[in-house]
Amino acid sequence: MSSIAIIDYEMGNLHSIAKAVEHVAGETRVLVTSVPEKILAADRVIFPGVGGIGHCMESLLRRGLDPVIREVAASGKPLLGICLGMQAMLERSEENGGIDCLGLIKGEVRRFSDSLNDNGVKLKVPHMGWNQVHQQTHPLWQDIDQDSRFYFVHSYYAIPAESADCAGVADYGGEFCCTLARENLFAVQFHPEKSQHAGLTLLRNFSRWDGRDS
Amino acid sequence: MALAKRIIPCLDVDNGRVVKGVQFVDIRDAGDPVEIARRYDQEGADEITFLDITASHEQRDTMVHVVEKVAGEVFIPLTVGGGIRETADIRRMLNAGADKIAINTAAVFNPDFVRQAADQFGSQCIVVAIDAKRVEDDAQTGEPRWEIFTHGGRKPTGINAVEWASRMVSYGAGEILLTSMDRDGTRNGFDLALTHAVSDAVDVPVIASGGVGNLDHLAEGVLQGHADAVLAASIFHFGEYTITEAKQYMVRRGIEMRL
């Protein structure tokens, strides 16, 4: 039986993710854990997170989980970052006065501008709700209609240094990259566990993914 | 491509059953919360809000079980409010599967609770619910004024609703759930002036609530009230309209929706 470990470092509601994965992953064993050995022993790993990046990185470091995530990334095992987990994969975020992150993917994280607007209408921050994602070719998008809507809630967004690392874009007062993909890493700004059919399909695809990007 | 406006059905839950009062008096039984949530999810609800109106503390456990059950089969955002007084209440609901927690009365009596909750759990899951009633117009400017009321709209607090919304956002609220106590249960439509005033005063999303009687009211909440989301209960519970019909109507009015 294959297994998926969801990294528990007390940053957000992991139960929703576990429930959604259990719902679609068939025989897969799903465990929510902060134990490095269990994370490293799993076939696939989900790195979630909500809240502030400062607190997130501090919690990872305190639990000794940063080398664990690096090891998973280097192992070639499928690794899925969600929301803050995605942002933490980049090199640096400007949140909380500037925080160094894991640097698994080159690039940085910035806040949406307060003066964001759409044809003169002021846009709210956080970007909260269902927005369309324009997908680039990747096996994890299989069976999901192009431009499907996913549920977002965030005030900061990723800017990958290399455009080849971006596998999906959304528009909020301008296009931004909402999905990163590089070899066995896939990371999304939105919440697949809260995005009904489209989100569940993505999680099902991940539960079967071999970690190759084509 | 743009962010969709949201339609949020609201389930008032009393001792494990969905009820809907008309101005907090006439309580009609509308059914099993899990069954109703499942139906709304299938019809395309963008989110579901549960308000626990159970008075006694012992029966609050019932709400935790309802949330657990819904979260196990409905994969859209779930908001839970009612009786949230301490961070332990928030943690319990988040662990049960809620995504956002609405704080109402506790915020009025202890504003720092909102700051504490946002620090601990993140602004993204802290919704401040505001029950506002129109009071006398401002003597100097002649502009309309609204005040915060507690205890189901019975007790005035003297707090200006628009200023309160801004203050709650500065304390870390990630969203405002704005209910007009004048309109709640009347089916006469949202208080659009109130919705407009609050929505334009804050940077976070505002959910309009209170008074929806038909689909036109939902569209007005977005188009004239500038709401980011619209919340309604009875028009959906008693089968007058499905969420799908509501969304199709909004699209015809030129509003971006998830279909």
Side-chain angles (χ1 to χ4, degrees), chain A:
Chain A
M1 189 160 58
S2 72
S3 59
I4 296 181
I6 300 170
I7 302 177
D8 179 7
Y9 60 114
E10 287 184 5
M11 288 300 283
N13 186 6
L14 311 173
H15 300 261
S16 301
I17 298 175
K19 280 175 174 169
V21 174
E22 279 165 4
H23 194 75
V24 296
E27 291 293 284
T28 305
R29 199 160 60 94
V30 179
L31 61 161
V32 176
T33 180
S34 57
V35 179
E37 294 74 25
K38 289 187 178 171
I39 296 167
L40 292 168
D43 298 302
R44 293 177 182 81
V45 176
I46 296 179
F47 176 31
V50 294
I53 193 73
H55 193 181
C56 160
M57 288 308 299
E58 187 267 326
S59 179
L60 285 179
L61 266 51
R62 181 160 38 86
R63 287 157 210 270
L65 288 171
D66 51 317
V68 176
I69 295 170
R70 285 182 215 286
E71 195 175 330
V72 173
S75 71
K77 274 183 199 172
L79 174 61
L80 175 66
I82 298 177
C83 194
L84 197 62
M86 170 196 190
Q87 296 181 5
M89 286 182 177
L90 291 152
E91 292 169 297
R92 196 171 164 77
S93 170
E94 70 172 15
E95 191 178 5
N96 303 130
I99 300 285
D100 285 329
C101 303
L102 295 168
L104 303 177
I105 290 176
K106 284 203 170 92
E108 56 175 359
V109 176
R110 271 191 221 151
R111 194 176 199 280
F112 281 120
S113 157
D114 287 329
S115 57
L116 216 58
N117 74 84
D118 180 31
N119 297 321
V121 180
K122 188 177 183 304
L123 295 176
K124 303 286 178 83
V125 177
H127 170 224
M128 185 189 284
W130 297 80
N131 207 339
Q132 288 176 293
V133 175
H134 193 76
Q135 312 154 8
Q136 315 292 329
T137 310
H138 193 282
L140 288 193
W141 294 127
Q142 196 192 327
D143 299 330
I144 301 172
D145 289 342
Q146 179 59 286
D147 299 325
S148 286
R149 287 186 188 273
F150 291 85
Y151 186 79
F152 287 83
V153 48
H154 63 122
S155 301
Y156 291 79
Y157 66 102
I159 308 169
E162 292 169 35
S163 59
D165 291 339
C166 183
V169 294
D171 192 310
Y172 196 59
E175 273 193 358
F176 72 95
C177 175
C178 67
T179 309
L180 299 171
R182 187 181 185 94
E183 296 164 351
N184 56 318
L185 308 187
F186 196 83
V188 292
Q189 180 60 65
F190 52 81
H191 290 272
E193 76 281 10
K194 288 290 156 185
S195 298
Q196 224 210 11
H197 299 308
L200 293 175
T201 306
L202 180 73
L203 291 174
R204 182 184 294 123
N205 291 341
F206 178 73
S207 74
R208 297 168 183 171
W209 187 36
D210 62 5
R212 291 192 200 139
D213 55 11
S214 60

Side-chain angles (χ1 to χ4, degrees), chain B residues 176-252:
Chain B
I176 299 289
L177 167 54
L178 178 67
T179 303
S180 159
M181 302 308 291
D182 303 309
R183 298 302 179 92
D184 200 40
T186 65
R187 304 175 63 86
N188 290 333
F190 296 119
D191 182 337
L192 294 172
L194 167 68
T195 309
H196 184 280
V198 172
S199 189
D200 288 4
V202 299
D203 291 333
V204 304
V206 171
I207 305 166
S209 154
V212 174
N214 59 47
L215 300 184
D216 198 36
H217 293 153
L218 294 175
E220 283 170 359
V222 171
L223 298 172
Q224 292 167 48
H226 296 183
D228 302 279
V230 285
L231 180 141
S234 55
I235 62 160
F236 299 129
H237 296 341
F238 298 107
E240 284 163 79
Y241 304 100
T242 63
I243 308 257
T244 319
E245 284 166 347
K247 290 181 122 180
Q248 284 164 347
Y249 177 79
M250 303 272 273
V251 167
R252 286 201 296 276

